[in-house]
Amino acid sequence: MVLNNIEKLIEKYENGETSIAEEQELKRYFSESEVPEHLEGYKSLFTYFSVKQQETFNKALPLKKAPAMPYKWLTAVAATVVLLLGFYLGNRTENQDLGTINDPELAFMEVSKSLEMISTKFNQGASTVGYLDEVNKGASTLNYLNEMENATQIIFKKEKK
């Protein structure tokens, strides 16, 4: 009866379905001196696990200290300095003449010229888009053709029956 139970536990063990208590029972069984011949392979397996479970590692591991890299923080500082100089020198201009006009009449004339130029360019662009109306007309004509095709398909399907 015990042998039958052990064989069932081995089958469960091989399928990965045993509990910890069942595995302890298998270890106890195979730690005995007498084991049937067909289970000898399992004896060496479970005794190996028992021995390795009690084994500990006592050797000291030498840990190498990583060399200090003083240049790591130095590169971060240098990058920050370069960025700050870039922002400072990039925004600094010698003559900050933004084209300000002090005479109101002259300023009005300049704005009028600029708006007229923008209006002319906008009208040129709008005139080139006029062909889209023709495309829309052609698309609506295609819709009529699709309706005619659907009607002819209905007629021909009824005639075939």
Side-chain angles (χ1 to χ4, degrees):
M1 182 71 177
V2 173
L3 184 61
N4 238 359
N5 187 26
I6 293 298
E7 287 176 344
K8 286 179 185 176
L9 284 177
I10 288 174
E11 187 176 331
K12 282 178 69 176
Y13 179 79
E14 287 177 345
N15 292 331
E17 299 169 348
T18 54
S19 66
I20 294 176
E22 291 171 333
E23 288 180 19
Q24 292 298 330
E25 185 179 337
L26 284 171
K27 284 181 187 178
R28 266 185 265 117
Y29 178 79
F30 286 111
S31 65
E32 297 173 3
S33 60
E34 291 185 27
V35 177
E37 189 177 314
H38 69 284
L39 298 177
E40 282 294 323
Y42 292 106
K43 182 175 181 174
S44 61
L45 176 73
F46 283 102
T47 54
Y48 172 80
F49 289 149
S50 297
V51 170
K52 289 300 177 183
Q53 187 175 13
Q54 295 170 0
E55 197 174 280
T56 58
F57 184 77
N58 297 327
K59 186 178 178 184
L61 293 175
L63 299 175
K64 292 182 181 178
K65 188 175 180 182
M69 292 188 218
Y71 62 87
K72 227 179 197 183
W73 66 270
L74 189 62
T75 55
V77 170
T80 305
V81 168
V82 167
L83 283 173
L84 290 175
L85 280 174
F87 286 130
Y88 176 72
L89 295 176
N91 290 335
R92 198 174 134 226
T93 57
E94 294 297 324
N95 188 6
Q96 292 189 353
D97 183 22
L98 300 176
T100 306
I101 300 173
N102 293 329
D103 185 18
E105 289 180 18
L106 186 58
F108 178 74
M109 294 298 288
E110 290 296 321
V111 168
S112 296
K113 277 197 267 182
S114 297
L115 290 175
E116 185 178 347
M117 182 187 71
I118 291 171
S119 174
T120 304
K121 298 295 182 183
F122 182 76
N123 288 336
Q124 286 176 355
S127 67
T128 59
V129 182
Y131 70 91
L132 290 177
D133 289 333
E134 299 300 321
V135 171
N136 288 337
K137 288 179 188 175
S140 63
T141 306
L142 286 176
N143 287 334
Y144 292 130
L145 291 174
N146 286 335
E147 289 176 17
M148 289 179 60
E149 184 178 340
N150 290 339
T152 54
Q153 285 179 355
I154 292 171
I155 292 170
F156 288 124
K157 282 181 184 178
K158 287 183 181 178
E159 286 180 7
K160 288 181 182 179
K161 289 180 182 179

